[in-house]
């Protein structure tokens, strides 16, 4: 057994060269059709014959050594645009617009209303297509795709894309020598480069095949072309990408690491988590993918700590795959799954905050591909996370106790700590797999709990905490939990008056008053087990306020007099105002 370390990624590799003799790794996938869909895995294939066998575990492990190697890449510029620096902006995601049964090779009737939404309903700066634009990747099909997307270009929306397995069908197959796997085959970029020579002034940094990276405003994007280079090159290149001084980094490629309709890249090989962990360590916020023809949201985790958010961004093709692969306990926490619907996503950036919203609609019932489809869109899923906070994956039945986050003083921040002292994720939405035969596996979706911070404002004695992800129905209502926040005593006039506050309809209210149940009850001193929902207090010895609440949203610390003290103050005003009036008359 040998151990290798590259750019912070430690890999253990068992290498037996004879197992690879006579086999060639091919990024292009094979298909074994099953009912109305197909499953695919990374495979070892003889070239030119397409004999399929599952990639041997030892070969998959050896693939990791590629991260040790450096390469000089022949670049293929894609299409990009530069933008003025801004911390508040948005981009859209669309995926899998391939034709399926549409003879044009593009699902035009599904794509048209989505394009209309991007142009007329969402103020996006750029659009990213996550692969499988077309059915067979021909020049004619790419022309139809561009014609359907023309309103985007007319509106000045910048466009970026990565290739899917269908997009490379018409490309040449190139023989190569992988440093580990020997003779290997991958796909050229001739058709792709001719179809998209540059839709906006190209300012990308090119990578292997049609991979590239670019920076827009405060965000770095990394597009991985899974089909255009040797596997060693792809892994080495993508795990070398760094966020740098940007607020965010997003990596996108056509195939997910956590697949719901098929296994996903690398199956359940440990290398999968090593790559995701390395991307997270390099500063990546999230990984965006398509390919599954359904929407799913999860997070790669180490224990409860989120390494990377993982999104499979729905389908815009007239084929819908079954939920066949359950969420991987121990490696990810699943939070959302939507099948058999058309969908697209919007990502809003606001400084360190990212809000991901997925919209979906029931697909058309008519088999007429040339009809006009008028969908009824709904918000199907939404999550917000922040790079200046912390994220945790919590399964059903697991405790929230101990989840915490802090922001240091400086740059407008007072310096505040927050912690959940008690609470349990009591129940979640259930999903059941649909296998080829036999009963499915039922799982309960968990919660991805996100902390984020905004700087203090006048009237507050703490920074503003965003806490989200605990509401199963996207309504900011959570299972009861105890939240404590620290405060800056130098900003407080009377610490005994400090309370945990909640932002409701543009105003700060007592967090206990915002609950959906319970009676607000004040207690001086620290929180004790057994206090019911609605109980709240201030612990002046620890410089903390706390409350038993059932809300997600924004929290802060501010001075609020108790009703009895407020009544006394008002009584004093009734005495003082007439006295002042008499003095003015005198």
């Amino acid at each position: 057994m040998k151990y290798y370390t590259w750019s912070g990624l430690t890999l253990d590799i068992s290498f037996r060269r004879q197992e690879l003799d006579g086999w060639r790794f091919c990024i292009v996938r094979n298909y074994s059709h099953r009912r109305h869909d197909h499953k695919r895995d990374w495979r070892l294939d003889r070239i030119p014959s397409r004999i399929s066998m599952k990639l041997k575990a030892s070969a998959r492990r050896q693939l990791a050594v590629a991260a040790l190697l450096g390469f000089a890449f022949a670049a293929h510029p894609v299409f990009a645009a530069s933008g003025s620096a801004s911390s508040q902006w948005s981009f859209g995601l669309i995926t899998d617009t391939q034709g399926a049964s549409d003879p044009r090779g593009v699902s035009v009737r599904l794509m048209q209303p989505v394009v209309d939404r991007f142009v007329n309903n969402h103020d996006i700066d750029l659009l990213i297509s996550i692969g499988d634009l077309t059915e067979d990747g021909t020049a004619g099909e790419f022309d139809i795709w561009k014609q359907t997307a023309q309103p985007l270009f007319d509106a000045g929306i910048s466009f970026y894309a990565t290739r899917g397995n269908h997009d490379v069908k018409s490309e040449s197959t190139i023989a190569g020598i992988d440093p580990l796997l020997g003779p290997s085959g991958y796909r050229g970029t001739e058709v792709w480069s001719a179809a998209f020579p540059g839709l906006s002034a190209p300012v990308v940094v090119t990578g292997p095949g049609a991979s590239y990276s670019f920076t827009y405003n405060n965000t770095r994007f990394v597009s991985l072309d899974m089909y255009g280079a040797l596997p060693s090159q792809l892994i080495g290149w993508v795990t070398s990408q760094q966020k740098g001084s940007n607020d965010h980094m997003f990596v996108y490629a056509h195939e997910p690491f956590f697949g719901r309709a098929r296994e996903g890249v690398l199956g359940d090989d440990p290398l999968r988590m090593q790559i995701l962990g390395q991307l997270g360590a390099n500063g990546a916020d999230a990984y965006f993918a398509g390919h599954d023809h359904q929407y799913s949201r999860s997070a790669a985790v180490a224990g409860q700590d989120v390494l990377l958010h993982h999104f499979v961004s729905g389908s815009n093709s007239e084929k819908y795959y079954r939920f066949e692969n359950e969420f991987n306990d121990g490696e990810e926490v699943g939070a959302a799954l939507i099948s058999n619907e058309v969908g697209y996503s919007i990502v809003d950036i606001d400084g360190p905050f990212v809000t991901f919203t997925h919209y979906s609609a029931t697909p058309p019932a008519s088999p007429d591909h040339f009809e006009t489809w008028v969908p009824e869109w709904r918000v199907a899923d939404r999550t917000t996370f922040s790079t200046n906070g912390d994220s945790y994956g919590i399964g059903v039945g697991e405790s929230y106790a101990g989840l915490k986050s802090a922001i240091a003083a400086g740059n407008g921040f007072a310096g505040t700590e927050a912690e959940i002292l008690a609470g349990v994720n009591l129940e979640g939405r259930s999903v059941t797999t649909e296998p080829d035969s036999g009963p499915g596996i039922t799982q309960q979706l968990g919660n991805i709990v996100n902390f984020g911070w905004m700087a203090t404002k006048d009237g507050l004695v703490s920074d503003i905490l965003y806490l989200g992800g605990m509401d199963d129905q996207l309504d900011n209502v959570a299972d009861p939990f105890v939240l404590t926040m620290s405060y800056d005593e130098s900003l407080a006039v009377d610490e005994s008056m400090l309370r945990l506050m909640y932002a409701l309809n543009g105003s700060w209210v007592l967090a206990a008053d915002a609950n959906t149940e319970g009676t607000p009850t004040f207690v001086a001193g620290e929180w004790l087990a057994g206090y019911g929902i609605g109980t709240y207090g201030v612990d002046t010895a620890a410089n903390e306020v706390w409350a038993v609440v059932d809300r997600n949203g924004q929290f802060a610390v501010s001075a609020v007099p108790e009703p009895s003290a407020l009544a006394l103050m008002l009584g004093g005003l009734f005495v003082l105002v007439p006295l002042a009036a008499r003095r003015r008359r005198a």
Side-chain angles (χ1 to χ4, degrees):
M1 183 72 68
K2 296 183 179 180
Y3 294 86
Y4 300 85
T5 301
W6 180 88
S7 184
L9 176 61
T10 302
L11 307 169
D12 55 318
I13 308 299
S14 175
F15 182 76
R16 288 188 292 169
R17 180 67 182 84
Q18 66 271 19
E19 290 190 10
L20 299 175
D21 289 341
W23 295 95
R24 308 176 182 187
F25 191 86
C26 187
I27 289 287
V28 181
R29 311 297 217 277
N30 285 337
Y31 294 77
S32 58
H33 291 272
R34 299 169 38 160
R35 292 188 187 172
H36 57 280
D37 55 3
H38 55 266
K39 279 186 164 286
R40 308 188 309 111
D41 293 294
W42 292 62
R43 306 223 177 234
L44 286 172
D45 294 272
R46 292 188 184 274
I47 299 176
S49 65
R50 298 175 62 83
I51 303 173
S52 299
M53 65 174 286
K54 186 103 173 196
L55 178 59
K56 299 175 183 177
S58 61
R60 293 202 306 271
R61 288 195 299 270
Q62 293 161 25
L63 193 60
V65 186
L68 298 166
L69 306 175
F71 297 91
F73 302 120
H76 294 277
V78 195
F79 19 90
S82 60
S84 59
S86 173
S87 62
Q88 258 187 340
W89 62 285
S90 303
F91 64 93
L93 297 174
I94 188 172
T95 186
D96 293 285
T97 53
Q98 70 218 62
S101 55
D102 191 317
R104 293 166 290 187
V106 177
S107 293
V108 174
R109 72 165 169 173
L110 301 189
M111 184 176 168
Q112 283 177 331
V114 175
V115 168
D116 179 73
R117 292 276 289 184
F118 287 136
V119 173
N120 296 309
N121 292 82
H122 302 291
D123 184 21
I124 62 171
D125 291 55
L126 58 89
L127 174 68
I128 294 173
S129 176
I130 319 177
D132 275 2
L133 284 70
T134 67
E135 184 67 23
D136 293 311
T138 65
E141 289 180 346
F142 286 129
D143 284 342
I144 292 173
W145 193 95
K146 288 186 289 185
Q147 291 168 13
T148 309
Q150 189 61 45
L152 291 166
F153 313 139
D154 293 341
I157 298 172
S158 300
F159 170 66
Y160 299 78
T162 191
R163 299 195 298 177
N165 53 293
H166 283 262
D167 295 323
V168 301
K169 283 185 175 182
S170 297
E171 300 284 6
S172 60
T173 298
I174 302 171
I177 305 295
D178 189 274
L180 290 176
L181 301 177
S184 301
Y186 55 96
R187 294 287 192 163
T189 61
E190 299 88 354
V191 180
W192 179 261
S193 297
F196 300 110
L199 299 181
S200 306
V203 289
V204 301
V205 177
T206 53
S211 301
Y212 60 92
S213 64
F214 68 97
T215 298
Y216 189 93
N217 289 333
N218 60 341
T219 303
R220 178 168 169 76
F221 292 88
V222 179
S223 172
L224 178 63
D225 173 22
M226 290 187 162
Y227 314 97
L230 299 172
S232 298
Q233 291 177 307
L234 296 172
I235 293 175
W237 180 78
V238 76
T239 55
S240 72
Q241 302 302 301
Q242 302 281 338
K243 180 174 74 171
S245 61
N246 298 292
D247 288 338
H248 307 282
M249 183 168 82
F250 300 112
V251 180
Y252 57 96
H254 182 57
E255 300 191 29
F257 280 91
F258 297 124
R260 304 280 79 90
R262 24 262 171 120
E263 269 192 331
V265 176
L266 295 174
D268 58 357
D269 192 281
L271 177 57
R272 170 174 66 185
M273 293 302 296
Q274 290 179 306
I275 292 174
L276 291 173
Q278 186 63 49
L279 293 178
N282 291 354
D285 300 13
Y287 179 84
F288 301 138
H291 191 55
D292 266 359
H293 294 256
Q294 56 190 264
Y295 171 81
S296 66
R297 173 169 63 90
S298 64
V301 294
Q304 292 184 329
D305 296 329
V306 169
L307 304 174
L308 190 75
H309 297 273
H310 186 280
F311 299 88
V312 181
S313 191
S315 176
N316 294 101
S317 175
E318 302 207 38
K319 60 180 177 181
Y320 310 95
Y321 293 166
R322 299 170 312 203
F323 169 43
E324 295 193 53
N325 287 287
E326 65 271 19
F327 292 89
N328 300 273
D329 290 338
E331 293 186 345
E332 66 170 332
V333 170
L337 176 72
I338 301 166
S339 301
N340 300 312
E341 294 198 1
V342 180
Y344 69 93
S345 303
I346 298 292
V347 183
D348 295 304
I349 307 294
D350 187 357
F353 284 86
V354 176
T355 297
F356 185 102
T357 305
H358 183 70
Y359 296 84
S360 69
T362 302
S366 168
D368 183 4
H369 297 293
F370 295 89
E371 71 170 4
T372 298
W373 177 49
V374 182
E376 295 183 4
W377 296 107
R378 66 182 180 91
V379 174
D381 187 41
R382 176 173 285 153
T383 186
T384 297
F385 56 88
S386 178
T387 56
N388 69 3
D390 299 271
S391 294
Y392 303 92
I394 305 298
V396 171
E398 294 182 359
S399 173
Y400 292 126
L403 304 189
K404 63 180 67 176
S405 186
I407 190 72
N411 298 317
F413 289 94
T416 306
E417 299 177 359
E419 182 176 357
I420 297 177
L421 301 180
V424 175
N425 183 9
L426 295 177
E427 58 182 353
R429 293 159 291 173
S430 295
V431 293
T432 303
T433 60
E434 302 176 62
D436 283 344
S437 60
I441 298 173
T442 298
Q443 289 182 302
Q444 286 189 301
L445 298 175
N447 288 334
I448 299 171
V449 182
N450 300 305
F451 292 76
W453 294 97
M454 290 161 279
T456 186
K457 295 182 179 179
D458 291 342
L460 302 178
V461 295
S462 73
D463 298 303
I464 301 170
L465 168 70
Y466 169 79
L467 177 61
M470 303 164 72
D471 51 335
D472 296 328
Q473 304 302 321
L474 307 181
D475 56 1
N476 282 333
V477 178
D479 295 321
F481 64 98
V482 182
L483 177 64
T484 181
M485 286 184 67
S486 68
Y487 57 82
D488 184 347
E489 59 182 333
S490 69
L491 300 176
V493 176
D494 183 351
E495 291 183 58
S496 67
M497 295 289 193
L498 298 181
R499 305 291 182 262
L500 183 65
M501 309 297 286
Y502 178 80
L504 183 66
N505 300 325
S507 300
W508 289 106
V509 302
L510 276 173
D513 281 339
N515 285 337
T516 62
E517 57 182 290
T519 301
T521 305
F522 176 76
V523 175
E526 64 180 340
W527 169 79
L528 298 176
Y531 286 159
I533 186 169
T535 311
Y536 64 100
V538 56
D539 183 357
T540 56
N543 291 347
E544 292 178 343
V545 298
W546 55 269
V548 186
V549 295
D550 64 0
R551 283 283 192 173
N552 274 186
Q554 294 180 18
F555 297 87
V557 183
S558 181
V560 176
E562 285 306 301
S564 58
L566 184 60
L568 183 62
M569 291 170 59
L570 290 174
L573 285 175
F574 285 124
V575 173
L576 291 173
V577 169
L579 178 61
R582 285 196 297 271
R583 286 177 177 173
R584 283 197 300 272
R585 286 196 297 271

